[in-house]
Amino acid sequence: MKKILLTSLLAVFAVSGAQAADFFVGGGASLNMDDTHSNVIGISPEVGWKYNDNWDFGLGLGLNYNRDDADNGRYFYNVNAFTRYKLAQFGNFKLLLRGDVGAGFITLASENEALDGETAAMLSLSIAPMITYDVSESFTLYANLNFLGVTANYQFENEKMGMQKSWWFGAFADSADVFDTGALQIGFLYNF
């Protein structure tokens, strides 16, 4: 499956006839530490293609680890396809909408042997704003504003983890999370 995905991605880039300057690599990082002693650390590498001045397309991975006081850990990992559309530009700053569709997984690391290594899966679709700043022609900084947007998720059943099949839809704007580092993801892009 990995070979098919990689081959398909390379074929899309090759067939597009885009110049080398139309590709980018990069990623983001997030850290959330709160007063309940629940800590989340995450990274999200990505690769993409600039279709034109307004549209970008790409693939990304998400890897997160969460540990709480109960000494239980959860690994979150996902793969997603994304597109970004430029809404406005003010000098080197850009306001974009980012749409993601992907699959995610949660694996438990628990002292309870019945739950240790148990994995649950979900599908997701989301749209959220982001801000970018072009430091140079090759280097861009960005912030995903994950505290504002819309999302839809489908969760698969996992009896051991007590998870039922379910759909979840939401539109959210939570100003209390503006400076929550779990909801604000900062990253960079290197443009070829």
Side-chain angles (χ1 to χ4, degrees):
M1 184 68 174
K2 291 179 187 177
K3 290 180 183 178
I4 292 171
L5 182 62
L6 182 58
T7 303
S8 299
L9 177 63
L10 292 174
V12 167
F13 288 154
V15 171
S16 70
Q19 299 174 356
D22 293 335
F23 296 98
F24 60 87
V25 296
S30 60
L31 175 65
N32 185 11
M33 303 171 92
D34 61 26
D35 54 2
T36 65
H37 302 286
S38 176
N39 304 314
V40 181
I41 299 170
I43 60 169
S44 56
E46 63 185 46
V47 60
W49 170 54
K50 291 179 179 280
Y51 177 69
N52 60 30
D53 285 342
N54 294 324
W55 287 95
D56 297 340
F57 299 95
L59 295 173
L61 296 174
L63 307 166
N64 292 290
Y65 178 70
N66 180 347
R67 188 147 205 84
D68 59 30
D69 266 351
D71 209 24
N72 293 314
R74 289 174 293 284
Y75 296 93
F76 300 90
Y77 41 100
N78 67 296
V79 61
N80 63 301
F82 65 86
T83 185
R84 296 190 291 232
Y85 178 73
K86 181 174 68 174
L87 295 172
Q89 183 167 354
F90 309 97
N92 288 349
F93 286 96
K94 295 177 191 163
L95 175 63
L96 299 101
L97 271 184
R98 178 179 168 129
D100 288 86
V101 60
F105 306 90
I106 301 170
T107 300
L108 296 180
S110 175
E111 293 179 1
N112 180 344
E113 289 184 23
L115 291 176
D116 191 42
E118 194 63 33
T119 300
M122 70 179 67
L123 300 174
S124 64
L125 172 69
S126 66
I127 299 173
M130 67 184 296
I131 297 172
T132 66
Y133 178 76
D134 294 329
V135 176
S136 68
E137 190 174 310
S138 297
F139 192 73
T140 301
L141 297 175
Y142 71 83
N144 288 330
L145 308 177
N146 297 327
F147 52 83
L148 179 67
V150 294
T151 188
N153 294 299
Y154 175 75
Q155 177 178 287
F156 291 93
E157 183 176 10
N158 184 310
E159 290 181 18
K160 285 187 179 179
M161 294 173 69
M163 298 176 142
Q164 302 295 321
K165 287 191 274 187
S166 63
W167 281 96
W168 184 83
F169 299 95
F172 48 92
D174 188 357
S175 62
D177 285 340
V178 170
F179 296 106
D180 178 354
T181 55
L184 177 67
Q185 183 182 43
I186 299 171
F188 74 93
L189 301 172
Y190 183 81
N191 306 298
F192 291 98

